[in-house]
C-alpha cells in the first residue's frame, strides 16, 4: 500500500492498531483476511486529527464482529494457500466472535523438486485474525481483537529470514446519552524481523529487529 510516499510514511491500522508490515510474500498478498474485514477507510489527504501525524495516507481497516445469531463456517482451498473463518454466538444476542485463518504451503508443493542443499527449505506464511465482543448492558460494550501473522523463508541450512506482526486491542464503549459516547482503547503491537546466513558458527550472521508498542487512547464523541 503506497500512496505518494514511502511505505513507512503511511499509517496502516487494523481494529485501531498499527500494522508495521501490511503484506505477505513480498507484497503479493495482504495481511488482511477478507473473511474478517467489515469495512475500509482510506485517507489520501485531509487526515483527521485523531490519527496523529503521518506524511502520506491512512488505511483504517475495521473487522467484523461475528454472527450473534447462528454458527457460520466458511473455507476456501487454493493452490497456494487456503483459508477458513468461523463466526458464532457466545451468548445469543449478547456476545459473539469471529476467527479467521490462512496458511500458505508453497514449500510443501515444491519440496519434492528441491535438491542440491535446498532440501528442507521453508517458504510459507500464515495468519490468524480474531475478534469477540460482549454487550454488558445497553450503555456498555467490550471488544477484544487480535492478529498474529508470520512469513518464513529458509533456503536449506544456508540462509533464511522471517518477519511477523502481532497485535491485541481491548476497547470499552460507553454511552452517556443519545449525543455523547466514549471509547477507551488499550493497544499492543509487536513487529519483528530476523535474518541469518552461514552454515557454521565461524561463518554465520544473525540479525534481529523489533518494534514494540503499548498505548492507551481515550476518545469522546459528541453529536450536535
Amino acid at each position: 500500500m503506497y500512496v505518494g510516499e514511502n511505505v513507512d510514511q503511511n499509517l496502516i491500522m487494523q481494529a485501531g492498531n498499527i500494522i508495521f508490515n501490511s503484506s505477505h510474500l513480498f507484497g503479493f498478498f495482504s495481511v488482511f483476511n477478507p473473511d474478517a474485514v467489515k469495512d475500509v477507510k482510506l485517507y489520501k489527504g485531509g487526515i483527521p486529527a485523531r490519527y496523529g501525524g503521518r506524511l502520506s495516507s491512512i488505511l483504517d481497516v475495521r473487522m467484523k464482529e461475528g454472527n450473534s445469531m447462528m454458527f457460520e463456517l466458511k473455507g476456501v482451498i487454493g493452490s497456494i494457500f487456503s483459508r477458513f473463518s468461523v463466526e458464532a454466538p457466545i451468548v445469543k444476542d449478547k456476545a459473539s466472535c469471529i476467527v479467521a485463518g490462512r496458511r500458505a504451503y508453497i514449500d510443501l508443493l515444491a519440496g519434492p523438486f528441491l535438491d542440491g542443499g535446498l532440501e528442507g527449505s521453508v517458504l510459507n506464511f500464515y495468519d490468524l485474525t480474531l475478534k469477540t465482543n460482549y454487550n454488558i448492558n445497553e450503555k456498555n460494550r467490550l471488544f477484544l481483537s487480535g492478529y498474529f501473522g508470520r512469513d518464513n523463508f529458509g533456503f536449506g541450512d544456508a540462509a533464511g529470514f522471517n518477519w511477523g506482526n502481532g497485535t491485541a486491542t481491548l476497547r470499552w464503549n460507553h454511552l452517556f446519552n443519545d449525543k455523547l459516547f466514549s471509547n477507551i482503547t488499550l493497544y499492543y503491537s509487536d513487529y519483528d524481523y530476523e535474518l541469518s546466513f552461514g552454515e557454521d558458527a565461524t561463518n554465520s550472521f544473525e540479525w534481529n529487529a523489533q518494534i514494540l508498542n503499548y498505548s492507551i487512547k481515550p476518545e469522546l464523541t459528541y453529536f450536535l
Side-chain angles (χ1 to χ4, degrees):
M1 162 60 202
Y2 304 89
V3 181
E5 301 292 340
N6 294 327
V7 64
D8 61 334
Q9 294 174 342
N10 297 290
L11 176 61
I12 301 172
M13 309 172 72
Q14 178 170 262
N17 214 327
I18 299 175
I19 301 293
F20 288 99
N21 192 327
S22 61
S23 64
H24 288 303
L25 207 62
F26 305 108
F28 283 99
F29 301 99
S30 169
V31 299
F32 305 114
N33 192 324
D35 293 329
V37 173
K38 180 181 180 181
D39 63 70
V40 178
K41 293 181 179 179
L42 174 63
Y43 297 92
K44 295 190 289 184
I47 297 172
R50 67 178 180 273
Y51 289 107
R54 280 300 188 277
L55 295 180
S56 188
S57 67
I58 306 291
L59 182 66
D60 189 359
V61 178
R62 298 293 174 175
M63 298 168 55
K64 294 180 180 178
E65 296 174 5
N67 195 323
S68 62
M69 298 297 294
M70 58 183 292
F71 178 85
E72 187 176 352
L73 174 65
K74 297 179 182 178
V76 176
I77 298 177
S79 57
I80 297 178
F81 70 90
S82 296
R83 72 177 195 259
F84 77 95
S85 66
V86 177
E87 298 183 51
I90 300 174
V91 179
K92 196 169 183 179
D93 293 329
K94 197 173 183 70
S96 62
C97 68
I98 179 172
V99 179
R102 295 182 296 179
R103 171 65 156 87
Y105 33 76
I106 302 172
D107 47 358
L108 300 179
L109 299 176
F113 306 100
L114 297 176
D115 55 16
L118 294 179
E119 298 90 345
S121 293
V122 177
L123 178 61
N124 62 56
F125 71 82
Y126 61 86
D127 58 36
L128 183 67
T129 306
L130 53 95
K131 184 176 182 179
T132 183
N133 66 92
Y134 179 65
N135 291 322
I136 302 173
N137 51 44
E138 292 183 355
K139 292 192 174 184
N140 294 280
R141 194 175 185 186
L142 286 176
F143 301 87
L144 177 63
S145 60
Y147 169 83
F148 310 94
R150 193 150 209 92
D151 284 66
N152 298 294
F153 298 89
F155 306 99
D157 297 326
F161 56 97
N162 63 82
W163 67 84
N165 287 289
T167 70
T169 306
L170 176 63
R171 178 164 61 94
W172 170 38
N173 175 261
H174 175 69
L175 299 177
F176 292 95
N177 51 53
D178 292 340
K179 293 186 176 183
L180 179 65
F181 71 90
S182 68
N183 281 301
I184 298 176
T185 312
L186 300 175
Y187 299 105
Y188 163 81
S189 66
D190 181 12
Y191 172 72
D192 68 276
Y193 188 97
E194 300 178 3
L195 171 66
S196 64
F197 61 84
E199 299 182 0
D200 54 64
T202 304
N203 303 294
S204 64
F205 174 82
E206 293 186 3
W207 181 73
N208 300 288
Q210 184 184 36
I211 302 174
L212 192 60
N213 180 47
Y214 300 90
S215 58
I216 181 171
K217 183 180 181 180
E219 289 182 288
L220 285 172
T221 302
Y222 181 75
F223 292 96
L224 294 177

